[in-house]
Amino acid sequence: MARPKSYTDEDVIRIVTQLCSDGRKPTGWLIKEALGRGKIASIQADLDRLIAEGKLPEIQMEPSGGSNSELRIVETSYELPVELQDMLSLKELELGKILREMTIGINDKAHAHYETLIAARIRELDAQSDVLAQAKATAELDKRDMEIRLQKQVENNEVFEDQIENLENRLTNSKTEKSDLVQTINQMTDSLSKLTEKADQQYALLDGLRQTISDKDKAHAAMEVKLEHAVDEAKKSKLQLTDLLAHYEVVKVQLNEKSTLLKSTQESLNQSNNQISAQRKENTELTATNRLLEKNLEDAESEIALLHEQKQHLETDFFEGENTKNPIKEGLPQ
């Protein structure tokens, strides 16, 4: 792309007019010297173009009026010999030729100097353009790498989101199972309270039986002869009381075992709650602790399965206890 000119046609016309008024022939060198900028060849080409377009008249340097008057004075004063006039004209022609050649040589040197400067600047610009092209290629490679990394990161984020969704579903299921376990434990607690109330009733009934036995013993001592049949019934009542006491001890041992089992179940449930809370905290660090969370969930599921088994054992024991209490109630006296 050509560089824009640092001068206008009006500047050239103005300087040419000024040089003509000073009696000097306008040339590219003189115009450049007056402007202080531009290239001699370009200025000379613009000068010729302006003359060809008619914006400047053809330059015909005629001697000024002062020089003509002086010549007339010299011619009127004396006349040189023809030989001297011829020699003078030859010397003038030789001197003009020498001056013209000197001017052309100076112009050529200046032109070569400016051409050298322009070539150096062009080389610098080429080097800068090569550096910029390399930087552009490097930037494009970096851009491609960043796009590939960003795509991989987006894919990894999608995988992590799917894993988070699966873990949230598992956590929801664990909460549901936990609520079911809590309901089951509450039911077992209610059943245990009912069993305790029944045991208290049996204790009261046992106290009543003991009081009845003591009364019968007193009546038996007073009425040994009259109440032989009553003595037989009292013996039967003693045997039933012995069986009832033995069964009472068995029921008491079973209640203690069930209470211990209930405590262990409650501790397991607390551990499960702690593990679930730990899993919630670790849910925010899925990128580093995904495997650990899955392991904890599997442990929690196994413990929940154990709790279900323990629950089934407790229900079985409870039903067996109910079945054993019914015959005892049927054997008690009305």
Side-chain angles (χ1 to χ4, degrees):
M1 182 177 179
R3 295 177 61 188
K5 293 180 181 180
S6 59
Y7 59 89
T8 61
D9 293 343
E10 287 76 9
D11 295 334
V12 176
I13 293 170
R14 178 175 53 79
I15 292 170
V16 168
T17 304
Q18 185 178 358
L19 290 173
C20 290
S21 64
D22 292 339
R24 302 171 67 185
K25 182 179 180 180
T27 60
W29 173 258
L30 293 176
I31 295 172
K32 180 184 184 306
E33 188 176 8
L35 285 172
R37 60 186 181 276
K39 190 176 179 181
I40 296 173
S42 299
I43 294 172
Q44 187 65 42
D46 291 335
L47 179 62
D48 295 337
R49 178 178 57 78
L50 291 172
I51 292 172
E53 291 175 355
K55 294 182 180 180
L56 286 174
E58 292 185 1
I59 299 169
Q60 296 178 355
M61 293 303 296
E62 296 180 353
S64 62
S67 61
N68 290 331
S69 62
E70 289 176 358
L71 183 57
R72 292 193 190 96
I73 292 169
V74 172
E75 289 178 353
T76 55
S77 298
Y78 61 90
E79 292 183 0
L80 292 174
V82 177
E83 293 83 1
L84 292 177
Q85 288 181 2
D86 293 337
M87 290 178 63
L88 181 60
S89 61
L90 291 173
K91 291 293 183 182
E92 287 178 353
L93 291 174
E94 290 177 357
L95 183 60
K97 185 177 181 180
I98 291 169
L99 289 174
R100 190 182 301 109
E101 290 176 353
M102 290 176 63
T103 304
I104 292 171
I106 292 170
N107 290 337
D108 292 338
K109 289 182 179 180
H111 180 69
H113 175 68
Y114 285 114
E115 290 291 338
T116 304
L117 291 177
I118 290 171
R121 290 180 181 176
I122 289 172
R123 286 194 297 271
E124 290 178 358
L125 291 174
D126 290 337
Q128 291 178 0
S129 64
D130 293 336
V131 172
L132 290 174
Q134 293 176 359
K136 182 180 178 181
T138 304
E140 288 179 355
L141 292 175
D142 293 338
K143 180 183 177 182
R144 291 176 184 174
D145 293 337
M146 289 295 292
E147 288 177 353
I148 293 171
R149 291 179 182 176
L150 182 60
Q151 185 177 2
K152 291 182 179 178
Q153 188 67 31
V154 170
E155 292 176 356
N156 292 330
N157 289 336
E158 290 177 355
V159 173
F160 286 144
E161 287 177 358
D162 293 335
Q163 292 177 355
I164 290 170
E165 185 176 359
N166 293 329
L167 289 173
E168 287 178 352
N169 293 330
R170 289 185 179 181
L171 184 61
T172 304
N173 295 329
S174 298
K175 288 181 179 179
T176 305
E177 292 178 354
K178 178 186 173 182
S179 62
D180 294 338
L181 283 173
V182 170
Q183 293 178 359
T184 303
I185 290 171
N186 292 329
Q187 292 175 359
M188 293 175 67
T189 305
D190 295 337
S191 299
L192 183 62
S193 62
K194 291 179 180 179
L195 287 174
T196 305
E197 291 177 357
K198 290 180 180 179
D200 293 336
Q201 292 176 1
Q202 289 179 358
Y203 278 119
L205 182 61
L206 183 60
D207 292 336
L209 288 173
R210 288 178 179 174
Q211 185 66 35
T212 303
I213 291 170
S214 62
D215 294 338
K216 285 183 179 181
D217 288 335
K218 292 178 181 178
H220 182 268
M223 300 173 67
E224 289 182 355
V225 178
K226 294 180 181 181
L227 300 175
E228 292 177 356
H229 184 68
V231 169
D232 294 335
E233 290 180 356
K235 290 180 180 179
K236 292 179 181 180
S237 298
K238 286 182 180 181
L239 293 173
Q240 291 178 356
L241 181 60
T242 304
D243 294 334
L244 185 61
L245 290 173
H247 184 69
Y248 170 73
E249 294 295 331
V250 172
V251 171
K252 184 177 180 181
V253 172
Q254 289 179 355
L255 286 175
N256 292 327
E257 290 176 356
K258 290 180 180 179
S259 178
T260 305
L261 183 59
L262 182 61
K263 288 180 180 179
S264 64
T265 304
Q266 188 67 33
E267 290 176 357
S268 298
L269 183 61
N270 292 330
Q271 291 178 359
S272 178
N273 290 330
N274 293 330
Q275 289 178 356
I276 291 171
S277 63
Q279 290 173 2
R280 288 178 181 174
K281 292 179 181 178
E282 292 173 353
N283 192 20
T284 59
E285 300 174 353
L286 288 173
T287 55
T289 59
N290 189 12
R291 294 182 179 176
L292 181 60
L293 184 60
E294 290 179 352
K295 184 178 179 181
N296 290 332
L297 286 173
E298 290 177 357
D299 294 336
E301 290 176 356
S302 62
E303 289 180 0
I304 290 170
L306 291 174
L307 289 173
H308 280 297
E309 292 178 359
Q310 291 177 0
K311 172 191 170 184
Q312 292 177 358
H313 287 301
L314 287 173
E315 289 177 353
T316 303
D317 295 335
F318 175 75
F319 290 141
E320 289 178 357
E322 289 289 334
N323 292 327
T324 53
K325 284 190 294 181
N326 290 328
I328 294 173
K329 290 182 179 179
E330 292 176 357
L332 291 176
Q334 298 295 327

